[in-house]
């Protein structure tokens, strides 16, 4: 995944020493969700959009638990008008259209990545032998920051 | 402390007894096997009505949803009804996005879920 630059806006990380990033997770997905929620609120997302981001990141991290057999890492940063969550693990996704088809409502698998695509403004997915990187972008709307 | 807790009650009512499963905490891929065990055990008893109270469930991912969809399918096969009650905002959003709320009836309260 190549870096996506927003002209004129430098990336910012909101971090405290206690929440250094990237954050490594194994099965502690509750902590992943808590960190995403805190970061999203600090970066200026509304509650509802923060909810969506939490659901999306949790689904990607769940894939790490299901398939990767390795820990995953979560990194987050934001620009003035966009928050980015990057999830990396050593799993390999071979279906280049994974998550892009809507599963039937009674399907007993396959909702995870599809939800990520529904909930977020932009999803970058790169997978190869060295692992998988998913970058989830969520715009921070002007109306949300009151400006 | 477990992330997810489930308590099962057999509610005796003269007209129509039902099984109530109350979930609390966060349901995700890391505890969906435990959730499956709880629901499978109750579904196997073939109750006419099984209500899952989601009121104290803060989060549900697609793994947990699939466990519930699977329980619904088995209940259906046995001629029983699975109903969901009191989903919070995040859980309700999950049910809506996946259209699971069109397969399984969702009620604002347990009382309404059991009223049929």
């Amino acid at each position: 995944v190549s870096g996506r630059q927003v002209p004129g806006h430098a990336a910012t990380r909101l971090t405290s020493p206690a929440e250094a990033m990237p954050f490594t997770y194994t099965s502690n997905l509750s902590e992943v969700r808590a960190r995403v929620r805190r970061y999203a609120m600090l970066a200026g997302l509304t509650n509802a959009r923060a909810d969506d981001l939490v659901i999306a990141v949790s689904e990607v991290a769940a894939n790490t638990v299901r398939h990767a057999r390795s820990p995953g890492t979560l990194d987050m940063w934001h620009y003035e008008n966009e928050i980015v969550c990057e999830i990396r693990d050593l799993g390999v996704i071979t279906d280049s259209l994974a998550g892009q088809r809507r599963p039937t409502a009674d399907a007993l698998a396959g909702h995870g990545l599809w939800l990520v695509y529904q909930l977020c403004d932009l999803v970058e997915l790169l997978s190869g032998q060295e692992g998988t990187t998913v970058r989830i972008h969520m715009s921070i709307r002007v109306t949300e920051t009151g400006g | 402390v477990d992330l997810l807790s489930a308590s099962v009650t057999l509610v005796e009512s003269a007209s129509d007894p039902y099984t109530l499963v109350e979930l609390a905490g966060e349901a995700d891929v890391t505890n969906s096997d435990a959730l499956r065990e709880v629901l499978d055990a109750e579904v196997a008893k073939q109750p006419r009505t099984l209500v899952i109270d989601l009121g104290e469930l803060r989060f549900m991912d697609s793994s947990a949803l699939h466990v519930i969809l699977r329980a619904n399918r088995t209940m259906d096969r046995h001629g029983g009804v699975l109903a969901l009650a009191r989903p919070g905002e995040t859980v309700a959003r999950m049910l809506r996005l996946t259209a699971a709320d069109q397969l399984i009836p969702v009620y604002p309260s347990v009382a309404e879920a059991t009223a049929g």
Side-chain angles (χ1 to χ4, degrees):
Chain A
V1 177
S2 62
R4 205 173 88 101
Q5 298 298 321
V6 177
H9 297 296
T12 311
R13 272 186 175 74
L14 298 164
T15 49
S16 66
E19 295 207 357
M21 287 191 277
F23 172 68
T24 300
Y25 61 90
T26 49
S27 61
N28 46 337
L29 300 188
S30 180
E31 176 67 17
V32 169
R33 290 189 288 270
R35 281 173 181 252
V36 172
R37 172 167 297 286
R38 280 196 294 272
Y39 196 92
M41 300 308 285
L42 282 171
L45 284 190
T46 59
N47 244 317
R49 300 259 297 165
D51 255 4
D52 288 353
L53 188 60
V54 168
I55 292 173
V57 173
S58 187
E59 291 293 342
V60 175
N63 277 341
T64 305
V65 176
R66 274 189 213 108
H67 305 299
R69 293 175 189 164
S70 72
T73 59
L74 166 70
D75 202 356
M76 295 178 278
W77 60 91
H78 75 286
Y79 304 92
E80 190 179 323
N81 53 4
E82 184 179 64
I83 176 169
V84 183
C85 295
E86 181 180 276
I87 303 103
R88 290 172 178 261
D89 64 35
L90 298 181
V92 178
I93 296 175
T94 50
D95 178 4
S96 60
L97 292 178
Q100 298 195 34
R101 299 181 194 89
R102 183 188 186 110
T104 57
D106 65 343
L108 296 183
H111 281 104
L113 263 184
W114 179 80
L115 279 166
V116 178
Y117 280 100
Q118 302 312 302
L119 293 168
C120 304
D121 295 323
L122 176 68
V123 181
E124 298 176 81
L125 190 153
L126 183 76
S127 192
Q129 288 310 309
E130 70 288 351
T132 295
T133 300
V134 179
R135 267 192 199 168
I136 295 173
H137 300 248
M138 203 74 144
S139 64
I140 302 166
R141 291 172 188 155
V142 175
T143 49
E144 292 178 76
T145 54
Chain B
V1 179
D2 279 345
L3 192 57
L4 176 70
S5 76
S7 83
V8 179
T9 320
L10 187 60
V11 181
E12 302 288 354
S13 103
S15 56
D16 200 5
Y18 62 93
T19 302
L20 178 65
V21 177
E22 294 167 288
L23 300 181
E26 300 173 39
D28 66 21
V29 66
T30 66
N31 52 34
S32 57
D33 285 344
L35 178 61
R36 179 176 295 120
E37 277 174 33
V38 170
L39 291 185
D40 277 359
E42 295 315 310
V43 168
K45 296 172 193 164
Q46 304 195 10
R48 284 181 41 154
T49 308
L50 175 66
V51 178
I52 304 178
D53 183 350
L54 303 169
E56 302 302 318
L57 193 66
R58 294 189 303 275
F59 185 84
M60 177 174 79
D61 81 352
S62 64
S63 302
L65 178 74
H66 292 143
V67 171
I68 291 174
L69 286 170
R70 190 163 158 273
N72 181 56
R73 204 179 272 186
T74 313
M75 284 293 290
D76 231 26
R77 209 163 39 230
H78 294 157
V81 174
L82 175 71
L84 303 176
R86 297 206 303 144
E89 223 170 279
T90 311
V91 173
R93 180 138 175 79
M94 192 74 184
L95 296 171
R96 209 162 46 240
L97 281 165
T98 56
D101 62 353
Q102 289 167 40
L103 286 174
I104 310 175
V106 182
Y107 298 93
S109 70
V110 172
E112 282 159 278
T114 56

